Amino acid sequence: MYAAHWRQLVRLSLLLVRDVATAGQVVQNSFVAVHDRWSRLRDPERALAYLRQTVVNRCRSVLRHREVEPRHAPLPGVASGADDAAARSWRTRREPPANR
C-alpha cells in the first residue's frame, strides 16, 4: 500500500499545505496512524479511503496550527514570567475590539 500510494498522497498533501517537507511528514504520520489502527478498521477494503481522509485531516490540522502559532509566539524583547502580563496587554491593545 505504501509503495503504491505514497506519491499520490504526497501530491494531495502538497496541494493543501504547499510545502514539500511538511507534505511528506503528514503522509508518513498518516501511514503510521492507519497502521496503528488497522485492527479497528471496520472494512479493511476501504483502508485507502481512510488513509486519504487521515491525510486531509492532518493537513487541516497543520494549516490551523500555522494560523494559531503566530498569535502565541513570544514578543521580541519580552522575557517570560513577570513580563507575561505586559505582553498580553500589548497583544490585547493590538487586536480589534471584536477579538478582545
Side-chain angles (χ1 to χ4, degrees):
M1 180 183 245
Y2 184 87
H5 299 289
W6 169 261
R7 284 182 165 201
Q8 165 191 350
L9 291 169
V10 170
R11 281 194 301 263
L12 170 64
S13 181
L14 184 58
L15 286 171
L16 296 170
V17 298
R18 305 231 181 251
D19 176 49
V20 176
T22 303
Q25 200 171 31
V26 165
V27 172
Q28 180 68 33
N29 291 339
S30 298
F31 268 105
V32 170
V34 169
H35 180 268
D36 289 345
R37 291 175 182 85
W38 191 265
S39 63
R40 289 181 270 181
L41 289 179
R42 276 187 249 139
D43 185 4
E45 295 295 319
R46 303 220 37 215
L48 180 58
Y50 182 75
L51 178 60
R52 192 176 292 120
Q53 191 62 52
T54 302
V55 168
V56 169
N57 289 343
R58 287 176 179 257
C59 286
R60 294 164 103 188
S61 292
V62 165
L63 295 173
R64 277 192 303 270
H65 182 74
R66 282 183 187 167
E67 258 185 55
V68 171
E69 190 177 33
R71 288 185 272 175
H72 297 284
L75 298 171
V78 176
S80 62
D83 292 332
D84 282 346
R88 280 192 302 275
S89 173
W90 182 82
R91 247 190 320 259
T92 302
R93 286 192 306 265
R94 282 188 46 221
E95 292 177 352
N99 292 345
R100 288 186 196 164

